[in-house]
Amino acid sequence: MNLHLLGDGMDRTVISGNLSTNMGYTTFLTATVKIIADGFVDKGVAFENTAGVNMNQSVALANEGRNSAFYKCRFSGYQDTLYVKHGIQFFRECHIYGTVDFIFGDASALFQNCSVYARRPRQGQSNTITAQKRESEEHVTGIVLQNCKIDAAPDLQPMLNVSTYLGRSWRNYSTTVIMQSYLGELI
């Protein structure tokens, strides 16, 4: 399909929603934006889900299109911010904010030169940055963060006693690689 979305910058062009699983929706249906088209390219747009820290799964962007690319975009939410559901996905110089499993799915997703920020979670909760869902050793999927900055968002800075983990296995063959990246003291 080769659809292109061009914004005026991640701080100026914002697409916002506020659905969550607490409202009776499935995780995928909470997405502010769902991409199912192949060849989608996006530059300079922010996607956010403002449902809040206490509302459980609240997706800002769900992407299941093949061969998609995002450049200088922002993805903001709390639990399950960015759903890299299927396909081959590329993210460059993007900012991603969340708390629990905030980059998750079963795509082949490469994040280069991105800033990944853990936010202040719900009381008593810890943060987990990735949850990859590879279910078979024959599949060639995984999440790769290369030359990224992983740090605390401003609302988490004063509370660095919150446990923050790089990832967790969502299925038996989950694969996440973090390489050549800066890890803040929150990890």
Side-chain angles (χ1 to χ4, degrees):
M1 179 169 270
N2 298 322
L3 179 65
H4 296 254
L5 182 60
L6 179 61
D8 287 330
M10 68 174 87
D11 294 322
R12 296 184 57 151
T13 304
V14 179
I15 302 172
S16 184
N18 66 352
L19 299 179
S20 78
T21 56
N22 281 9
M23 299 172 172
Y25 297 97
T26 64
T27 301
F28 186 68
L29 292 179
T30 68
T32 300
V33 173
K34 295 178 210 79
I35 297 168
I36 54 174
D38 295 341
F40 181 82
V41 177
D42 183 24
K43 178 182 177 188
V45 176
F47 302 91
E48 61 184 28
N49 189 311
T50 61
V53 70
N54 294 315
M55 296 300 285
N56 294 327
Q57 293 90 342
S58 308
V59 178
L61 179 90
N63 184 8
E64 61 178 306
R66 291 178 298 182
N67 304 322
S68 57
F70 298 84
Y71 178 62
K72 292 189 176 185
C73 293
R74 179 171 44 89
F75 307 91
S76 300
Y78 290 90
Q79 184 173 346
D80 295 353
T81 301
L82 179 55
Y83 193 0
V84 291
K85 190 170 182 183
H86 298 294
I88 298 170
Q89 303 180 26
F90 179 66
F91 299 82
R92 179 135 178 126
E93 298 177 40
C94 294
H95 295 190
I96 305 126
Y97 294 82
T99 57
V100 178
D101 301 343
F102 63 98
I103 301 171
F104 73 109
D106 191 28
S108 295
L110 174 59
F111 296 82
Q112 283 186 334
N113 299 55
C114 292
S115 296
V116 178
Y117 296 106
R119 299 176 91 169
R120 185 179 193 172
R122 185 172 40 215
Q123 181 72 28
Q125 197 174 47
S126 60
N127 287 326
T128 307
I129 294 169
T130 66
Q132 208 278 332
K133 190 184 177 183
R134 185 172 159 196
E135 298 185 61
S136 166
E137 62 184 324
E138 287 84 33
H139 293 160
V140 186
T141 62
I143 295 171
V144 177
L145 282 77
Q146 180 186 28
N147 198 33
C148 292
K149 173 185 173 185
I150 301 170
D151 213 347
D155 67 339
L156 183 61
Q157 290 278 344
M159 299 186 57
L160 287 179
N161 60 343
V162 172
S163 297
T164 300
Y165 303 97
L166 293 174
R168 72 170 182 91
S169 296
W170 190 6
R171 294 292 190 263
N172 289 337
Y173 297 94
S174 296
T175 304
T176 297
V177 175
I178 298 173
M179 58 191 279
Q180 301 165 322
S181 293
Y182 168 81
L183 303 179
E185 31 180 292
L186 76 157
I187 302 298

